[in-house]
Every structure is written in C-alpha cells, then in structure tokens.
Amino acid sequence: MSLSPSPPPPLPLEGLSAIVTGAGRGLGRAEALELARLGAAVVVNDYGQPGRDGSGEASTAPAEQVAAEIRAAGGTALAHTGDVADFHQARQLTELTVAEFGKLDILVNNAGILRDRMVFSMTENEWDAVIRVHLKGHFNTTHFAAAHWRERSKATGGPVYGRIVNTSSEAFLAGSAGQPNYAAAKGGIVGLTTSTALALAKYGVTTNVICPRARTRMTEDVFNGLARPDDGLDPLAPEHVAPLVGYLASPAAARVNGQLLVVHGGMVAVVERPRVAAKFDSKQDTFSYDELDALLTPHYAGRPDGETFAAAEVLGLKRE
C-alpha cells in the first residue's frame, strides 16, 4: 500500500493580505515579491499612471507591472496607483484591500522621494515635498490601517492580526548633512513607530521600523561611487532587505514590537534605544546660568570634536 505524499506545510503568510507602498520599483518591489512568495495576497501601491516609454509606446504603470509579476509566479496581487500622501487616496487604498481580500493584515510603508540639498540652500518646496511623502504618507496609511484593526478587535472582542513595517533611514541615525528634510522625515517616522507600537499592541498589532541600505533608483546618486560586484548578489541589492520585512510581517515576530533594525548586505543590526548618559541636579530651586556652566562645560570638554547625538558608527556596520 502506497502512502499519499504529505501536503506541503503552509507558507508563513498564507491567508494574509498586505499593502506595500512605493512598490513599483526598488525596495518596495522586492518587499512585495517577498511577501507574495511567503504566501500573502499583496496590494502593490505606487504613485503613477500608465504612460509612454522612450519609443512612444504605451507603458504599464510600475505598480501593475509588479502585480502582474506576482500573478505570473502564481501569487495573488493587484495594483493601486494612488498617492499615499493624500489622505483620501490612502483611505481608498485600505478600502480596496479590505473589499478585495476581506481584511488587511500587513502594512509595509516604503514610499518616498529625495530632494537633497544643504539646509542653507533648501527651498520650502523641497522641504515640504519630502516631509509630505515620507512622514505624512506613513501617517495616512497607518491611520486607516489602525482604524480597521481597532474596529475588527472591537467586533471580535479580542486581539486581531496586524503588522506594520515602517521605513526609516541611516540618515536619521547617523546624520546626513545634505539631507535635512529626509533625515527629519525619517526621524519622525521612528517617533510615529514607537507611538503606534504602544497604541496598537492591545489590539494584537505590532509596529516596527527598518533602516535599509539599498541601491535603488531613488539612491542611485548616493551609491554611485560604489561598484557592483562582477558576480554574486550586490551587497546593496534590495533583496537583502526584503526577507527581514517578510519576517517582521509574520506570526513568528509576534514579540517584536516598537523596534528599530538596520539591514543591508546580509546583515541585520538591532539598534538599542537611547539611554541617559548623565544627569545633573540643581542645588537651588532651579538652575542658573553659572551653575549650568559649571556642570555642563566640563562634562563636554573631553568629548571628541564632531561627536553629536547622531550614531555615525552605524555607517560602518557590515557583514563579517
């Protein structure tokens, strides 16, 4: 008597639905493909309508191209070409996901732009555009996903399944002199992450943030001087980042919440929260200038030149 083969084990994200913003290219594309490979049904978001290629032929919107790639591989995906920095279009993105798949389980916020310039040269529009896409875009989608999970939790009387993976940057951790708008937006995303993690934990939702390093269309000028290897996977390939996003979106990461992780080139680093380095108490009712001068000036006197709150050493992290 022959035994029938055992069915394959379920995929980690089987039965779950996900949104990935900015997923038409680069990091978002790799993340959407990875979530689909792990079994999730994916809504691929990327702002932009179909246009014309260099020869004048009609071209497919990047979001639809990635969704078609997922479907061709046997997965489930659909495209959304709205602007997540627009509050109402972000609402439509969540509503589309719930209407199509019955619920939303995973939100990966990745959409972003760059408008690099030194702070003394930056225009108001360059500041506003980056803050809008990165920080407001993260808030918009998080707002509607959080409301969805809260309502589901209230309806069932218990926790639900929810995962948010946000995207910050080493530009926030280490400081980036030519990116004050980008560093500020990415720092804001970390604050949004820790706040959301505490607010949504009781509903069963985890919220984490990654600082990825990858060669994409957005960062081509940043990494222009770093050569690609002749063979093997580029250490700056987005494919190094996507597996961590898949893990954080999975049931296995249920106890990972409110965390910041740096990821690139086959390496993941868990970044510790800030800690108090020193504390000074006034000997009077309140501090005077002279008392602060006597305490703080010697405290900082021995510090290396150029040392700030920024963690510049994070830029030296690499796979051993």
Side-chain angles (χ1 to χ4, degrees):
M1 184 176 79
S2 62
L3 297 176
S4 58
S6 300
L11 294 169
L13 305 183
E14 192 171 314
L16 303 178
S17 64
I19 291 172
V20 183
T21 71
R25 302 177 179 88
L27 270 176
R29 172 184 172 274
E31 291 163 354
L33 293 174
E34 177 69 4
L35 295 184
R37 188 187 71 80
L38 294 175
V42 182
V43 178
V44 180
N45 163 266
D46 201 274
Y47 183 49
Q49 302 297 324
R52 300 281 174 179
D53 61 21
S55 65
E57 295 294 321
S59 62
T60 306
E64 182 52 55
Q65 292 176 19
V66 176
E69 189 175 354
I70 290 172
R71 292 191 295 266
T76 301
L78 67 151
H80 178 270
T81 57
D83 177 8
V84 293
D86 180 284
F87 195 68
H88 299 292
Q89 294 183 52
R91 181 202 300 270
Q92 292 167 357
L93 173 58
T94 303
E95 291 175 344
L96 170 67
T97 307
V98 175
E100 187 71 20
F101 303 118
K103 58 185 173 62
L104 169 64
D105 301 294
I106 300 160
L107 170 63
V108 179
N109 284 310
N110 170 74
I113 60 172
L114 289 179
R115 298 290 186 270
D116 293 352
R117 205 176 298 275
M118 300 295 284
V119 69
F120 42 76
S121 302
M122 182 163 289
T123 68
E124 181 182 12
N125 286 341
E126 289 167 339
W127 174 270
D128 288 349
V130 169
I131 297 297
R132 176 183 181 274
V133 175
H134 287 273
L135 187 52
K136 187 181 179 187
H138 270 63
F139 161 74
N140 287 346
T141 54
T142 297
H143 168 78
F144 290 111
H148 168 72
W149 287 319
R150 181 172 178 265
E151 287 304 311
R152 280 176 53 198
S153 178
K154 288 169 63 177
T156 61
V160 298
Y161 189 98
R163 299 284 187 270
I164 300 175
V165 182
N166 289 331
T167 306
S168 183
S169 170
E170 293 169 298
F172 152 69
L173 285 172
S176 182
Q179 297 180 303
N181 48 2
Y182 184 70
K186 291 306 193 182
I189 287 167
V190 174
L192 174 64
T193 298
T194 54
S195 173
T196 305
L198 292 175
L200 299 187
K202 65 181 179 181
Y203 301 116
V205 179
T206 67
T207 309
N208 294 289
V209 60
I210 64 170
C211 292
R213 189 188 303 179
R215 196 193 307 271
T216 67
R217 188 178 69 161
M218 191 178 83
T219 62
E220 59 186 352
D221 291 337
V222 177
F223 299 123
N224 191 38
L226 298 176
R228 299 174 186 269
D230 294 331
D231 54 15
L233 187 63
D234 183 355
L236 291 173
E239 287 75 15
H240 288 295
V241 176
L244 176 61
V245 173
Y247 167 74
L248 292 174
S250 75
R255 290 184 57 81
V256 185
N257 190 34
Q259 301 299 308
L260 187 152
L261 302 98
V262 175
V263 54
H264 58 80
M267 179 218 73
V268 172
V270 177
V271 179
E272 184 63 278
R273 63 179 176 83
R275 296 186 180 276
V276 177
K279 176 179 174 290
F280 303 97
D281 296 319
S282 174
K283 295 181 179 179
Q284 310 164 73
D285 288 340
T286 188
F287 278 111
S288 66
Y289 169 86
D290 290 337
E291 190 177 17
L292 288 170
D293 179 24
L295 291 170
L296 292 178
T297 300
H299 176 74
Y300 284 105
R303 291 292 179 94
D305 291 341
E307 182 183 273
T308 70
F309 183 75
E313 64 272 15
V314 74
L315 298 178
L317 293 173
K318 62 180 181 179
R319 181 181 181 183
E320 299 298 334

